[in-house]
């Protein structure tokens, strides 16, 4: 897949997110919850997770590199941040959509308000969990970058040492004095 196709896919994804956000803004929350409860969430969540994993795998392992080539870690793309933010929002929304209808059976009053507050707390905790998972992935990326940088530094030092030894050997062999040519 070339960069133009990836940009198109990212643009389609962002247009879809924008349309979903518009639907959320236009519809009332109760209507949105009633629609969300009719959609089986497990396949939708698995589909979103599989798409995210496919994109991540393509970015991480898409290009085969030999040991001779230097691998430079690319900067984080802007759409990764959009994807992370969307994943957190999706976790909050899905948790709320699953738990909020269960509070409808309790009579209105103090108990119902407490249950709804607990639903919001649980939804925010789910969003925080997804955010923590994304943070772990970023920490892994940073560690990988540091290891690659160390490997490049070691390789450069080794190549520099070999070049210095070769230059010194050439100087000794090209010396007009016999004792210098025979020195090791």
């Amino acid at each position: 897949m070339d960069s133009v196709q990836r940009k198109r896919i990212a643009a389609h994804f962002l247009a879809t997110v924008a349309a979903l956000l518009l639907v959320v803004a236009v519809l009332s929350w109760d209507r949105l919850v009633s629609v969300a409860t009719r959609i089986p969430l497990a396949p939708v969540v698995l589909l979103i997770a599989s798409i995210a994993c496919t994109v991540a795998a393509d970015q991480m392992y898409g290009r085969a590199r030999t040991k001779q080539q230097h691998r430079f870690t690319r900067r984080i793309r802007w759409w990764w941040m959009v994807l992370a933010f969307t994943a957190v929002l999706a976790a909050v929304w899905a948790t709320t959509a699953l738990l909020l209808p269960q509070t409808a059976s309790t009579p209105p009053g103090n108990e119902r308000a407490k249950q709804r507050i607990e639903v919001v707390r649980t939804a925010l905790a789910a969003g925080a969990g997804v955010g923590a998972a994304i943070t772990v992935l970023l920490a892994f990326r940073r560690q990988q970058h540091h290891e690659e940088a160390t490997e490049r530094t070691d390789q450069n030092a080794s190549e520099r040492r070999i070049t210095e030894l070769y230059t010194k050997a050439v100087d000794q062999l090209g010396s007009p004095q016999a004792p210098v040519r025979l020195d090791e």
Side-chain angles (χ1 to χ4, degrees), residues 27-179:
L27 294 177
S28 69
W29 184 253
D30 292 331
R31 193 180 300 167
L32 186 63
V33 168
S34 68
V35 170
T37 55
R38 283 187 254 139
I39 298 172
L41 284 180
V44 172
V45 169
L46 290 175
L47 176 68
I48 291 171
S50 68
I51 289 171
C53 289
T54 303
V55 169
D58 179 56
Q59 290 295 314
M60 291 174 70
Y61 303 109
R63 296 185 184 111
R65 295 181 176 105
T66 63
K67 281 280 192 181
Q68 300 293 328
Q69 295 173 331
H70 294 294
R71 292 174 38 194
F72 296 101
T73 305
R74 288 182 268 160
R75 292 174 29 178
I76 294 178
R77 305 265 191 239
W78 60 270
W79 56 270
W80 276 102
M81 302 314 290
V82 171
L83 186 65
F85 185 70
T86 305
V88 171
L89 287 180
V92 171
W93 175 76
T95 306
T96 305
L98 286 172
L99 296 178
L100 199 58
Q102 295 177 4
T103 64
S105 63
T106 59
N110 249 356
E111 187 61 34
R112 188 178 200 178
K114 287 180 183 177
Q115 285 181 353
R116 286 189 173 197
I117 288 172
E118 287 300 317
V119 166
V120 170
R121 283 184 184 163
T122 304
L124 291 176
V130 171
I134 292 168
T135 303
V136 167
L137 289 174
L138 288 175
F140 171 75
R141 183 180 181 276
R142 184 180 303 126
Q143 178 66 29
Q144 183 180 15
H145 172 72
H146 286 302
E147 289 174 1
E148 289 173 358
T150 303
E151 183 179 315
R152 281 192 305 271
T153 303
D154 291 346
Q155 184 179 5
N156 288 342
S158 175
E159 288 175 359
R160 197 174 308 118
R161 174 85 172 129
I162 290 170
T163 303
E164 289 172 2
L165 289 174
Y166 180 76
T167 305
K168 185 177 177 184
V170 167
D171 287 343
Q172 283 181 341
L173 288 174
S175 175
Q177 300 170 352

